[in-house]
Amino acid sequence: MLAVCAHPDDESFGLGGIVAALTEAGIPVSVLCFTRGEASTLHAGPGALAAVRSRELAAAAAALDVRRTELLTYADGRLGGEPLEELAGHVHRLAGTVGADTLLVFDLGGITGHPDHQRATEAALAAAAENGYAVLAWALPTDVGRALNAEFETAFVGRADAEIDIVLPVDRNRQLAAISHHTSQSTDNPVLWRRLELQGDVERLRWLQPETLESSRSDTQKERTYCR
């Protein structure tokens, strides 16, 4: 599995519960992150933010037992202006290096509506269309998105139950450990903590690009793993 992210902390704040469940089940997970998150308005502590967040990502990835992490240097907040073919090329290159047959991404709309999140998912889908990867997306239920938008005036995109393919019970402990390493972004982040509270111990996923017959694991094997 290769998780394709826009910013350091996406792998923990958003995908952390899923990544922890997968690695605990013995599925190798690697992470590709396109930017160093230098444009964030959250910054608790000294130091250049790009360098700080690079170190935070390395520590969080270790907490999640991520096999390999690659952090690129595209400009934070401007990923949407980068050539899609170029971004997809990075996805394909790293997927080939780590032997991934499935890409893990944020749902269409980027979950939060952030353009960088959306572009990272678009890059994964472009790589999948060209090379046959399956694409599995982290999704939020509609009621969670609505609650967050009402409380914080955010732009979360939720999904109805009928749109969800996998309901995955998770243990948040390793995700919370990973989040704790992203001190610059989690110290003053009430939206994050409220979202996790609303989600409880369940994550929801949907296939953006379904599994193929050429996948290295059978459908039955994958279903047992994801729903364990």
Side-chain angles (χ1 to χ4, degrees), residues 89-129:
H90 287 296
V91 176
H92 177 53
R93 172 183 52 77
L94 187 55
T97 298
V98 301
D101 59 12
T102 304
L103 308 177
L104 178 64
V105 300
F106 280 34
D107 195 8
L108 299 176
I111 297 288
T112 64
H114 196 302
D116 281 359
H117 292 171
Q118 296 180 54
R119 194 61 164 176
T121 296
E122 290 170 357
L125 286 169

Side-chain angles (χ1 to χ4, degrees), residues 46-48 50-60 71 181:
V52 168
R53 298 193 69 182
S54 297
R55 292 192 295 270
E56 291 176 343
L57 174 60
L71 182 59
H181 290 294

Side-chain angles (χ1 to χ4, degrees), residues 26-109:
I27 297 176
V29 179
S30 296
V31 171
L32 174 64
C33 185
F34 283 113
T35 83
R36 294 177 182 257
E38 70 278 2
S40 174
T41 57
L42 299 174
H43 188 9
L49 191 53
V52 168
R53 298 193 69 182
S54 297
R55 292 192 295 270
E56 291 176 343
L57 174 60
L64 292 171
D65 200 21
V66 168
R67 173 168 291 188
R68 173 169 174 159
T69 304
E70 183 168 314
L71 182 59
L72 303 180
T73 58
Y74 288 97
D76 184 13
R78 299 203 294 272
L79 200 59
E82 300 294 344
L84 187 60
E85 182 178 358
E86 181 177 313
L87 300 177
H90 287 296
V91 176
H92 177 53
R93 172 183 52 77
L94 187 55
T97 298
V98 301
D101 59 12
T102 304
L103 308 177
L104 178 64
V105 300
F106 280 34
D107 195 8
L108 299 176

Side-chain angles (χ1 to χ4, degrees), residues 10 36 47 54 67 83 100 124 130-131 142 155 167 184 194 218 227:
D10 289 347
R36 294 177 182 257
S54 297
R67 173 168 291 188
E130 184 71 21
N131 302 286
T142 301
V167 177
S184 72
R194 178 59 171 149
S218 72
C227 299

Side-chain angles (χ1 to χ4, degrees), residues 139-200:
L140 283 184
T142 301
D143 59 345
V144 171
R146 285 177 178 168
L148 292 169
N149 294 341
E151 293 177 32
F152 298 101
E153 298 184 350
T154 47
F156 282 88
V157 178
R159 296 288 174 183
D161 288 346
E163 299 176 275
I164 301 299
D165 297 309
I166 298 170
V167 177
L168 179 68
V170 295
D171 180 340
R172 298 280 181 197
N173 287 330
R174 285 177 58 214
Q175 180 181 21
L176 293 174
I179 289 172
S180 72
H181 290 294
H182 286 287
T183 307
S184 72
Q185 305 302 299
S186 62
T187 300
D188 183 20
N189 194 336
V191 178
L192 166 65
W193 301 114
R194 178 59 171 149
R195 173 174 59 76
L196 292 174
E197 179 184 17
L198 289 169
Q199 286 182 272

